[in-house]
Amino acid sequence: MFDLNELLLNHLTELLNEKGWSLYRLSNESQVPYSTITNMFRRESCPTIYVLKKVCYTLNLDLWEFFYEIETKKRVPDTIDSTEADILSLYRRLDAYDQKLLYNYLAGLSGTPVDSTKSTEN
């Protein structure tokens, strides 16, 4: 059995440490009251979905990405900036056909030859 709240708070702590953010900064950036943020960590109270969505948005994550990262512990490398992360997030929302179209478009735009044998992986 696992403690979901512990997983959530540990992952949030990792994300904040990566950004060098304090709880106070997270509160300011997310517009979530500081008391709510500190209660989550100090009293280990589980955040509501509403609060978690606001926090994830502030950290440039969709809610599903946040939980996916917890589940798989596979994170996008930190070398990706926020614009690249937004593009990747949009790409992941496309179906396989549209992903292939986008791949071909970007390959053409960048002057990169398209590998017709390459299949799009989700």
Side-chain angles (χ1 to χ4, degrees):
M1 191 75 174
F2 63 91
D3 181 0
L4 178 60
N5 193 51
E6 183 179 339
L7 291 172
L8 294 175
L9 295 178
N10 286 344
H11 190 49
L12 278 174
T13 300
E14 288 173 8
L15 294 169
L16 292 175
N17 287 340
E18 287 174 11
K19 288 187 163 289
W21 283 14
S22 65
L23 297 181
Y24 182 77
R25 175 144 185 213
L26 177 62
S27 171
N28 283 338
E29 298 285 337
S30 66
Q31 300 297 305
V32 173
Y34 182 69
S35 60
T36 300
I37 298 291
T38 57
N39 283 338
M40 283 177 5
F41 286 90
R42 295 202 176 107
R43 295 184 185 166
E44 295 184 354
S45 62
C46 194
T48 65
I49 292 296
Y50 175 75
V51 168
L52 202 50
K53 280 180 73 171
K54 288 182 81 169
V55 167
C56 286
Y57 178 79
T58 301
L59 298 172
N60 294 319
L61 287 172
D62 287 326
L63 195 55
W64 70 267
E65 290 173 306
F66 177 80
F67 283 106
Y68 179 80
E69 290 175 358
I70 290 173
E71 182 66 26
T72 62
K73 292 296 181 186
K74 294 178 183 172
R75 302 266 329 282
V76 173
D78 293 334
T79 57
I80 293 178
D81 66 26
S82 63
T83 301
E84 291 167 326
D86 289 344
I87 291 168
L88 183 57
S89 178
L90 293 170
Y91 173 84
R92 289 178 176 163
R93 294 179 189 158
L94 300 173
D95 62 29
Y97 177 76
D98 288 338
Q99 286 178 349
K100 185 68 175 173
L101 285 175
L102 181 59
Y103 172 80
N104 289 334
Y105 176 76
L106 291 172
L109 191 61
S110 67
T112 306
V114 176
D115 181 357
S116 60
T117 62
K118 182 174 176 71
S119 65
T120 305
E121 296 177 5
N122 291 341

